Amino acid sequence: MTPSQIKLAIAVAAVALIAVGLYVSQTDNTAPQTTGMTDENKASRLAANTKQIKISQAKDVTIESLDALIALFDSLNYNNESWREGNREVPRLTFKSVSEKWQQTSNEIPVQTKKMVFFRLMAPLILVANEKVLAERKIAQAAQLADTQLIDLAEKYRIKTASTTQLTEPERQILLSHIDIIPPSLALAQAAEESGWATSRFTVEGNAFFGQWDFSGNGMIPKQQRKELGNYGLARFDTPLASVEGYVLNINRNAAYEKLRTLRAELRQQSLPITGMELATTLDKYSERGQAYIDGIRSMIDFNKLQQVDEAYLSNDQPLHLVGTNQ
């Protein structure tokens, strides 16, 4: 390709990735092992107390090219120069989906540019999901043992059933081990690995960034199924943000990730940083590749210097959602 053709391909692909819109998930669209509360009143009650900045307050920003996207990042002080100077503030950005154009043209984009776009668009979603979890954690720490909000959380994280009327203090501590953040470095590395940098069929068709299974019959069917697992598919999500929130909930309550939660609780108890490099060592059950998967995720974190993103925090400025001109 000529330089002008490469530049055009980059511009088209950048806009294609930002096939955007606006969505706040009120339901849990994950696989059955991550199914959320079915009681809408409980979900609404919890959501009302998270004190998140509402995505509905977001401002539309139209992105016409890669240059326009980078200019937006620069205007938000969200660039390499600012990062090198120690600024870890991340703007509240969201987008609705990944288009087929990104899938078709991403191989023509320089690797570093593709990674930059991917990480800068995904990092805000991960921080928003963690913000919600920390708001829930605050409720779990402060609520009375018979408080309905605490009971709702215990049911959501499968510590207690719907018939529970009061928790014990030891049960509260177990609940707190479930309600905690996922280091952004870990989530970014897994999203890149599981989605193929947002190019996989499942990411394009169903915003599936983390390869979560769905046994309900509504999932996206892989070309080669593992027969020993039965009839399953990949979980669909309405938006990338919903996919991130589903992933966080899956890690926080699925029995397969108890080792991660135990290590995270130990780190918090000792006032040590909760990092992706540390927690990645527990993910032997996330993939059938076992230790090789762990090694790959840790290598991705290290190679891309994602440890620094664990220091990131969300801006208090107005949320923005990015709108491609092809929408």
Side-chain angles (χ1 to χ4, degrees):
M1 297 178 68
T2 66
S4 61
Q5 288 173 321
I6 292 174
K7 185 174 181 180
L8 177 60
I10 293 172
V12 171
V15 176
L17 177 58
I18 309 166
V20 298
L22 185 59
Y23 177 86
V24 176
S25 176
Q26 295 295 331
T27 60
D28 181 5
N29 291 321
T30 60
Q33 65 265 32
T34 57
T35 301
M37 294 181 291
T38 56
D39 186 329
E40 293 181 2
N41 292 329
K42 293 178 182 178
S44 297
R45 184 162 57 209
L46 287 174
N49 285 278
T50 58
K51 298 182 180 179
Q52 290 176 279
I53 293 180
K54 295 181 180 179
I55 302 297
S56 58
Q57 297 172 347
K59 175 184 176 182
D60 286 357
V61 177
T62 300
I63 300 297
E64 299 178 346
S65 67
L66 178 63
D67 288 342
L69 179 60
I70 293 175
L72 174 65
F73 289 153
D74 287 340
S75 72
L76 298 171
N77 212 25
Y78 189 38
N79 52 31
N80 290 340
E81 180 180 359
S82 176
W83 200 260
R84 284 193 297 269
E85 293 174 352
N87 178 30
R88 296 293 182 263
E89 184 174 276
V90 171
R92 294 173 180 270
L93 303 176
T94 191
F95 61 104
K96 185 177 180 179
S97 62
V98 177
S99 80
E100 290 184 2
K101 288 183 180 179
W102 171 262
Q103 183 186 53
Q104 294 164 357
T105 61
S106 63
N107 287 337
E108 300 167 0
I109 305 174
V111 172
Q112 291 304 316
T113 302
K114 179 165 67 174
K115 287 183 176 183
M116 177 271 290
V117 171
F118 182 88
F119 288 141
R120 289 188 188 173
L121 291 178
M122 291 300 294
L125 306 185
I126 295 162
L127 292 174
V128 166
N130 278 338
E131 180 181 60
K132 179 178 180 180
V133 167
L134 287 176
E136 290 183 336
R137 183 176 174 84
K138 186 175 293 186
I139 294 171
Q141 289 173 320
Q144 297 294 316
L145 294 173
D147 192 309
T148 54
Q149 293 181 80
L150 186 64
I151 304 305
D152 291 349
L153 285 171
E155 185 180 348
K156 175 180 178 178
Y157 288 92
R158 298 177 180 169
I159 306 303
K160 284 288 189 177
T161 65
S163 61
T164 299
T165 58
Q166 181 170 320
L167 265 64
T168 65
E169 191 58 42
E171 288 170 337
R172 185 209 297 271
Q173 297 307 312
I174 294 172
L175 179 60
L176 286 171
S177 74
H178 286 254
I179 307 177
D180 211 336
I181 65 165
I182 304 299
S185 62
L186 181 62
L188 286 173
Q190 288 195 268
E193 172 70 19
E194 299 292 337
S195 73
W197 302 95
T199 64
S200 77
R201 171 171 70 92
F202 303 116
T203 303
V204 173
E205 291 182 8
N207 286 311
F209 281 83
F210 296 94
Q212 292 174 248
W213 294 341
D214 185 337
F215 292 90
S216 70
N218 297 320
M220 298 171 284
I221 306 300
K223 293 180 179 179
Q224 294 184 338
Q225 284 189 310
R226 293 165 57 186
K227 294 182 179 180
E228 71 274 15
L229 296 176
N231 183 23
Y232 71 94
L234 273 291
R236 301 174 184 272
F237 299 90
D238 289 329
T239 63
L241 175 58
S243 178
V244 172
E245 291 179 341
Y247 155 79
V248 171
L249 182 58
N250 188 28
I251 293 291
N252 277 345
R253 75 179 186 185
N254 193 310
Y257 311 118
E258 184 175 357
K259 287 196 297 185
L260 181 147
R261 296 191 294 269
T262 298
L263 175 57
R264 182 178 60 187
E266 291 173 352
L267 292 171
R268 188 171 285 284
Q269 186 177 24
Q270 298 171 34
S271 298
L272 295 173
I274 299 173
T275 68
M277 287 294 277
E278 285 284 341
L279 297 195
T281 63
T282 68
L283 291 178
D284 55 296
K285 293 185 179 179
Y286 201 94
S287 166
E288 61 182 349
R289 293 168 54 208
Q291 187 60 45
Y293 181 80
I294 290 174
D295 294 342
I297 293 299
R298 298 186 84 225
S299 177
M300 183 177 291
I301 292 172
D302 182 54
F303 183 80
N304 293 286
K305 297 180 174 59
L306 297 179
Q307 301 97 320
Q308 298 174 4
V309 192
D310 290 343
E311 304 168 4
Y313 58 92
L314 283 168
S315 167
N316 288 324
D317 292 339
Q318 182 181 25
L320 305 175
H321 73 273
L322 309 180
V323 180
T325 54
N326 60 333
Q327 296 301 294

